[in-house]
Amino acid sequence: MIWNQTMECADRKMMELYQSEKLRDMVSRVYHNVPFYRQRMQQMHVGPEDIKTVHDLHKLPFTTKADLRDNYPYGLFAVPTSEIVRLHASSGTTGKPTVVGYTRKDLSTWSEVVARTLSCAGISREDFIQIAYGYGLFTGGLGIHYGSEKLGATVIPVSGGNTKRQLQLLQDFGSTVLACTPSYALYLAEAIEEHGFKDGDLKLRVGIFGAEPWSESMRSSIENNLGVMAIDIYGLSEIIGPGVASECEKKCGLHINEDHFIPEIINPETLEPVEKGEKGELVFTTITKEGLPLLRYRTRDLTRLDYQPCACSRTLVRMEKCLGRSDDMLIIRGVNIFPSQVETVLLEMSETLPHYMLIVERVNNLDSLTLMVEVEEQFFSDEIKELERLSAKIRHNAESALGISVGVKLVEPKTIERSEGKAKRVIDKRSL
Ligand code: DLL
């Protein structure tokens, strides 16, 4: 079923007219309510009157994660905080997270776009949706939750982890839909096999997987092992959370909810728009958001756009499955991690040197992160107890900065290979 026929199947001309009207309104709102944007636009000698249609988008300034950080926590909000009814956050490149705020209307928009995502995957009010995305500051759990309720499906809000309980509820509650990261889906598939369920014990038929990159081969393996149709859903907190784009049952690109978020593709080096259909960095301008409207937000995700109507009859532009980024952000068990966060931790400790290597592996379908770090000569002790104490301290500091568990391996000074150019800080052994 198509949740919103008018918007999801509009012809291109109608869509552009609609987007242009919303864009004009939003540019005027940010110009008058967000000093940061007014200043940026004045520097570029652009005023709200210069933005008439979507074809004027390129005249507007970009926004980056660093801009959000520099205006931490509420500096880019376009309404007084008394209008904000919810906050979420995701990790930034330093200790400070990126904070996003929603008005009541934003929450309603969010439920609408997630309800579309679910409909797009063939999910209906007859379904039982087991939500195994984390609930909390991360947008995955609560985002899918309210969209599922809006759709009218039955929500099972388990949150992430606790595999034993996930299995029990999958069976006892008869969940038909699983919502979690693709790596957790693979892990659950393995747990299901070990548990020895019989045919008919589980009713799962669809999985809506996202929050991290996953390849076509991972899709086949999830579909074969879990017995579901695996659908890719994409989103980011800064834009709204899940609900930005999602695959339909044809699985040929992710439909972007472009009546709310206008996409562009730019060359990440020159920042110029690429040729039609070429790959580059995805940029979004939100046109209906009230709390945190963003102009040309650089996602750092690499993809391309296809404006051909889809066989499902939706006309919403499709983005290709995202597999790469134009920065060094890693996604480990659904959590966004920047190597610079680790660097900050090490620089704050007198016992360690800022020479380190992050090793990411997928063991039994679960991501694991090991931090290999050089220890200052005078702290490198022959006493095992001493080394264990130091290693525990590093682990504790790294874990509180990153929010995931970290294995620590101490090495002697000068063991980690030095590089003459860009330092290589990450060895990602996961084959996606
Ligand atoms: O991951 C929102 C989300 C929750 C999406 C649940 C889907 C399902 P953030 O934590 O802000 O938000 O991380 C956003 O994750 O810029 C991408 O790099 C990556 N990402 C999200 N979905 C996909 C996907 C949520 N389907 C960042 N494929 C984004 C590839 C994805 N990467």
Side-chain angles (χ1 to χ4, degrees):
M1 196 193 87
I2 296 180
W3 181 256
N4 186 332
Q5 183 86 27
T6 318
M7 286 306 175
E8 294 179 72
C9 304
D11 72 46
R12 184 64 25 210
K13 260 215 176 101
M14 284 293 297
M15 178 57 79
E16 285 191 0
L17 274 175
Y18 180 86
Q19 289 174 323
S20 300
E21 184 194 324
K22 295 283 175 198
L23 177 67
R24 285 192 296 270
D25 170 60
M26 126 85 173
V27 169
S28 153
R29 265 190 297 125
V30 299
Y31 189 86
H32 292 107
N33 299 324
V34 187
F36 165 84
Y37 278 127
R38 184 162 54 247
Q39 234 174 40
R40 280 276 166 99
M41 287 174 64
Q42 282 169 348
Q43 279 163 5
M44 294 169 74
H45 306 290
V46 191
E49 64 286 354
D50 297 311
I51 309 301
K52 297 193 175 70
T53 74
V54 287
H55 302 289
D56 297 318
L57 259 182
H58 66 275
K59 298 179 184 163
L60 292 167
F62 287 107
T63 314
T64 61
K65 215 172 178 74
D67 295 327
L68 286 167
R69 188 183 65 223
D70 295 345
N71 291 282
Y72 178 84
Y74 308 139
L76 294 190
F77 286 13
V79 296
T81 47
S82 54
E83 297 295 313
I84 298 288
V85 296
R86 175 101 64 82
L87 295 177
H88 280 282
S90 76
S91 24
T93 44
T94 63
K96 291 218 182 355
T98 305
V99 183
V100 295
Y102 303 73
T103 64
R104 207 168 287 285
K105 180 166 166 253
D106 292 335
L107 288 185
S108 146
T109 305
W110 194 10
S111 303
E112 154 79 19
V113 290
V114 171
R116 286 187 198 174
T117 290
L118 302 168
S119 266
C120 213
I123 299 166
S124 76
R125 48 187 301 136
E126 307 302 328
D127 281 296
F128 289 74
I129 308 186
Q130 182 155 332
I131 304 180
Y133 284 115
Y135 279 63
L137 286 175
F138 176 56
T139 52
L142 286 166
I144 301 292
H145 182 104
Y146 285 101
S148 305
E149 285 190 355
K150 171 133 191 168
L151 179 78
T154 307
V155 177
I156 309 167
V158 201
S159 192
N162 204 338
T163 304
K164 220 167 142 193
R165 184 143 55 116
Q166 301 280 359
L167 294 191
Q168 185 195 347
L169 298 185
L170 276 176
Q171 180 173 31
D172 296 354
F173 290 5
S175 311
T176 54
V177 177
L178 175 66
C180 64
T181 57
S183 47
Y184 191 60
L186 268 183
Y187 182 74
L188 269 181
E190 207 174 64
I192 285 172
E193 197 185 305
E194 275 168 19
H195 190 277
F197 283 111
K198 292 188 294 297
D199 265 2
D201 279 350
L202 299 183
K203 299 206 169 62
L204 267 189
R205 58 175 202 89
V206 181
I208 42 169
F209 306 128
E212 63 185 11
W214 54 304
S215 60
E216 285 303 333
S217 61
M218 200 157 153
R219 187 196 316 259
S220 321
S221 113
I222 295 177
E223 293 196 329
N224 293 335
N225 296 328
L226 207 54
V228 297
M229 172 173 69
I231 292 287
D232 190 8
I233 68 170
Y234 168 90
L236 60 164
S237 332
E238 294 87 337
I239 299 306
I240 205 151
V244 175
S246 58
E247 281 180 334
C248 62
E249 292 166 86
K250 307 283 176 207
K251 299 190 249 185
C252 55
L254 292 83
H255 293 279
I256 297 176
N257 285 308
E258 55 174 319
D259 52 324
H260 295 283
F261 324 112
I262 308 182
E264 291 172 87
I265 303 287
I266 60 161
N267 175 325
E269 306 292 327
T270 64
L271 305 186
E272 291 299 322
V274 299
E275 292 294 320
K276 219 174 164 186
E278 241 181 65
K279 197 167 188 160
E281 183 182 328
L282 180 63
V283 168
F284 280 113
T285 299
T286 68
I287 47 175
T288 55
K289 259 189 5 173
E290 295 181 334
L292 181 65
L294 294 177
L295 296 181
R296 307 188 81 199
Y297 184 72
R298 292 187 58 188
T299 64
R300 305 285 178 171
D301 292 315
L302 300 175
T303 185
R304 65 180 96 232
L305 297 180
D306 181 356
Y307 282 88
Q308 293 302 314
C310 177
C312 74
S313 88
R314 286 177 184 82
T315 51
L316 293 174
V317 60
R318 280 169 289 154
M319 61 183 251
E320 192 178 81
K321 212 170 183 356
C322 261
L323 289 174
R325 290 183 54 90
S326 68
D327 65 4
D328 57 357
M329 186 177 93
L330 292 162
I331 306 183
I332 301 174
R333 273 179 258 144
V335 179
N336 305 346
I337 307 260
F338 290 92
S340 55
Q341 289 173 285
V342 173
E343 201 160 298
T344 311
V345 167
L346 298 180
L347 285 168
E348 278 167 2
M349 294 181 62
S350 56
E351 302 94 328
T352 53
L353 293 163
H355 293 295
Y356 65 95
M357 190 71 101
L358 293 171
I359 299 148
V360 194
E361 285 163 293
R362 192 159 276 173
V363 184
N364 296 333
N365 295 320
L366 267 194
D367 293 343
S368 80
L369 175 66
T370 308
L371 165 61
M372 208 160 100
V373 58
E374 286 183 12
V375 178
E376 283 275 15
E377 193 76 60
Q378 76 257 40
F379 293 103
F380 206 87
S381 158
D382 284 337
E383 247 189 79
I384 291 183
K385 252 203 193 131
E386 267 309 295
L387 287 175
E388 276 177 352
R389 193 197 53 78
L390 179 56
S391 154
K393 183 174 171 190
I394 299 172
R395 187 170 63 238
H396 174 265
N397 291 356
E399 288 180 350
S400 53
L402 302 179
I404 61 164
S405 55
V406 181
V408 172
K409 190 171 170 213
L410 303 180
V411 294
E412 287 183 52
K414 303 210 171 63
T415 24
I416 292 175
E417 200 187 324
R418 303 295 190 259
S419 124
E420 288 176 356
K422 237 173 173 344
K424 186 163 168 51
R425 298 290 189 205
V426 178
I427 300 177
D428 198 338
K429 296 185 181 163
R430 297 173 293 185
S431 46
L432 286 178

